[in-house]
Amino acid sequence: MQNNVINKWLLIIVISFFTIMFHYMYGMSHASVLEAFHRRLCYIPIVLAGLWFGIEGGIVTAAGISLAVLPFIYMQRSMGHDFVSGELVEVLFYGVIGVLTGTLSDAQRRERKKNDELKEQVRVSERLSTIGELFAYMMHEIKNPLSSIKGAADIVADESVIPERKIEFAGLLKSEIGRLNRTLDSMLSFTRTNLALEACDMGAEIGRIISLFNVQTEKSHVRISLSLKEPITIRVDCDKMRQVFINLMLNAIQAMGNGGKLEITIRRAGNDGVEILFVDTGPGIPPDLINSVFKPFFTTRKDGSGLGLAIAKRIVEEHKGKILVQSTPGKGTIFTVRLPWGQ
């Protein structure tokens, strides 16, 4: 950020220097049209300063250029009163342009800040609403296994129950505890927001995840391919992005059921960052459901928590990225993760 500010000021200074030198060297030596043109060149650094640094930047730059031009006006005072007056009016306009540009820029900046604050308020409201939904979901999902755990524990503790029966309910007890633990893990993943940024090789990371799914893809007759033209490393929270990729790949494998292909493509997105595309040949998502896939607790699977894609979306947005979905029923679905180079 600091380097960016310095670079902008250096550009303004360089442009100002050359326009002023042009003023001194050719101010009285060419046609009136060209003379008017090179005078207006001084507006460029003033406008840039006003746009980038507000009214203070506009005034400072206008004042600096005006002070640099005044000796030229004094040197040409023999040209007569009209010439000097015209040049002084031009200097006055430098200040007016600096003030106007800076004022408009500051107003736009304040408006943008207000919009950002409103967006943040909307996000907070959405999170509060989600917390309410999460609490209701948590009560429902915890209450059921707790009831089962209590019943199984009572039977295991009952001395009149035969050992075989106790073993059966001990297994049920373990299963329900596992279910409860998975529910709590999903909720914790949804609420955690702190990022530990580090350099992460996208190709290597996704390659490792593909290896983890080897057994599952063989059983499901799903083929996974990875397309990557060059190594791409960006600064992200590797653990959390791994969670996003695992979730998207698992969803695709489960959606394709018994056979299909998942193509993963990693590519540059211009100068902005990187795109990771997950293209499957599954049944697709119905148009009336596609806008709901990222909503918390929305799921079409009986054993799904409905938090996987909501968690993935939140993680990507915490990285200042986007996750998009396109789907054609009967042909497949494309999930696109767009990430900046790093923060």
Side-chain angles (χ1 to χ4, degrees), residues 8 17 37 46 65 143 202 214 239 242 293 311:
K8 286 180 177 179
F17 174 78
F37 173 75
I46 297 171
I65 291 176
K143 184 178 180 180
M202 291 287 98
N214 278 343
D239 289 336
R242 189 180 303 120
V293 295
I311 292 169

Side-chain angles (χ1 to χ4, degrees), residues 183-203:
T183 299
L184 292 174
D185 282 344
S186 294
M187 293 174 185
L188 287 173
S189 296
F190 187 72
T191 56
R192 290 191 190 111
T193 56
N194 292 332
L195 300 179
L197 299 179
E198 57 182 316
C200 188
D201 185 327
M202 291 287 98

Side-chain angles (χ1 to χ4, degrees), residues 3-245:
N3 288 338
N4 190 34
V5 171
I6 293 173
N7 289 337
K8 286 180 177 179
W9 273 116
L10 285 174
L11 179 61
I12 289 169
I13 290 169
V14 169
I15 295 175
S16 299
F17 174 78
F18 281 107
T19 54
I20 291 167
M21 290 300 296
F22 195 61
H23 206 88
Y24 274 87
M25 293 171 65
Y26 303 107
M28 300 301 299
S29 61
H30 48 60
S32 59
V33 173
L34 292 178
E35 182 182 345
F37 173 75
H38 83 70
R39 285 182 184 178
R40 275 44 173 201
L41 288 177
C42 290
Y43 293 168
I44 295 174
I46 297 171
V47 170
L48 288 177
L51 289 174
W52 287 340
F53 303 107
I55 191 169
E56 292 181 359
I59 290 175
V60 167
T61 305
I65 291 176
S66 298
L67 290 173
V69 170
L70 285 176
F72 170 79
I73 299 173
Y74 180 77
M75 290 163 54
Q76 303 297 331
R77 64 189 185 280
S78 60
M79 296 294 297
H81 180 268
D82 290 343
F83 173 81
V84 173
S85 299
E87 289 290 325
L88 290 175
V89 169
E90 195 74 30
V91 168
L92 178 63
F93 267 97
Y94 293 161
V96 171
I97 290 170
V99 170
L100 286 176
T101 306
T103 301
L104 291 173
S105 178
D106 284 341
Q108 187 180 38
R109 200 172 287 113
R110 285 193 298 270
E111 190 65 27
R112 193 182 302 120
K113 185 178 179 181
K114 285 181 181 178
N115 288 337
D116 290 341
E117 289 173 352
L118 286 173
K119 288 179 182 178
E120 182 61 29
Q121 289 174 6
V122 170
R123 280 196 292 268
V124 170
S125 298
E126 288 176 349
R127 287 181 182 178
L128 288 173
S129 175
T130 301
I131 288 171
E133 293 179 15
L134 184 63
F135 183 76
Y137 173 83
M138 182 176 64
M139 292 298 99
H140 178 268
E141 290 299 307
I142 290 178
K143 184 178 180 180
N144 288 340
L146 281 179
S147 299
S148 300
I149 289 169
K150 182 180 182 301
D154 289 340
I155 292 174
V156 171
D158 191 340
E159 295 180 359
S160 65
V161 178
I162 60 174
E164 291 80 4
R165 191 71 171 161
K166 286 186 177 183
I167 292 172
E168 179 186 343
F169 277 90
L172 175 62
L173 189 64
K174 183 178 179 181
S175 174
E176 290 300 301
I177 290 173
R179 177 183 165 193
L180 187 60
N181 189 54
R182 288 192 298 273
T183 299
L184 292 174
D185 282 344
S186 294
M187 293 174 185
L188 287 173
S189 296
F190 187 72
T191 56
R192 290 191 190 111
T193 56
N194 292 332
L195 300 179
L197 299 179
E198 57 182 316
C200 188
D201 185 327
M202 291 287 98
E205 192 63 48
I206 291 179
R208 281 191 289 268
I209 297 171
I210 292 174
S211 299
L212 294 176
F213 281 106
N214 278 343
V215 174
Q216 190 166 355
T217 53
E218 286 179 9
K219 288 181 178 179
S220 303
H221 305 289
V222 172
R223 290 179 295 115
I224 302 180
S225 64
L226 174 61
S227 174
L228 175 65
K229 291 184 178 179
E230 59 179 322
I232 294 180
T233 299
I234 60 176
R235 280 182 57 79
V236 292
D237 187 316
C238 287
D239 289 336
K240 291 197 173 183
M241 288 313 306
R242 189 180 303 120
Q243 184 179 358
V244 172
F245 299 147

